[in-house]
């Protein structure tokens, strides 16, 4: 995940379990239809502070959830 240097960024993410049962946050693809569509598809968001520019693969992050996420439908 990338952020503009010196600017706080919020990245919408979906959560999925990998093969080792670790919870993985994947960025939601943004489209031309606007932020509401992206927001509606996301489980939550990751906040990237002003002093960070990148979030590396496998870096642990805090995800702020929009709703409870469980393995049950």
């Amino acid at each position: 995940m990338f952020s503009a240097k010196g600017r706080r960024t919020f990245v919408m993410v979906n959560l999925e379990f990998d093969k080792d049962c670790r919870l993985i946050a994947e960025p939601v693809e943004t489209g031309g239809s606007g932020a509401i569509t992206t927001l509606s598809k996301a489980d939550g968001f990751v906040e990237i502070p002003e002093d960070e520019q990148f979030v590396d693969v496998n870096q642990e992050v805090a995800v702020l959830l929009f709703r409870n996420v469980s393995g049950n439908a």
Side-chain angles (χ1 to χ4, degrees):
M1 290 182 246
F2 300 97
S3 172
K5 189 169 179 129
R7 183 171 164 192
R8 183 176 304 234
T9 304
F10 300 91
V11 179
M12 303 303 141
V13 297
N14 283 325
L15 299 174
E16 296 182 15
F17 286 98
D18 70 2
K19 62 180 173 50
D20 298 319
C21 293
R22 295 180 306 161
L23 198 54
I24 304 298
E26 291 283 340
V28 174
E29 288 187 36
T30 57
S33 59
I36 296 297
T37 302
T38 303
L39 187 66
S40 70
K41 293 179 181 180
D43 293 320
F45 65 92
V46 172
E47 180 180 351
I48 304 174
E50 296 91 344
D51 60 348
E52 279 188 55
Q53 193 170 5
F54 304 99
V55 175
D56 293 321
V57 172
N58 294 323
Q59 180 178 335
E60 189 171 311
V61 296
V63 176
L64 289 94
L65 299 174
F66 295 133
R67 59 191 164 274
N68 289 336
V69 177
S70 68
N72 302 325

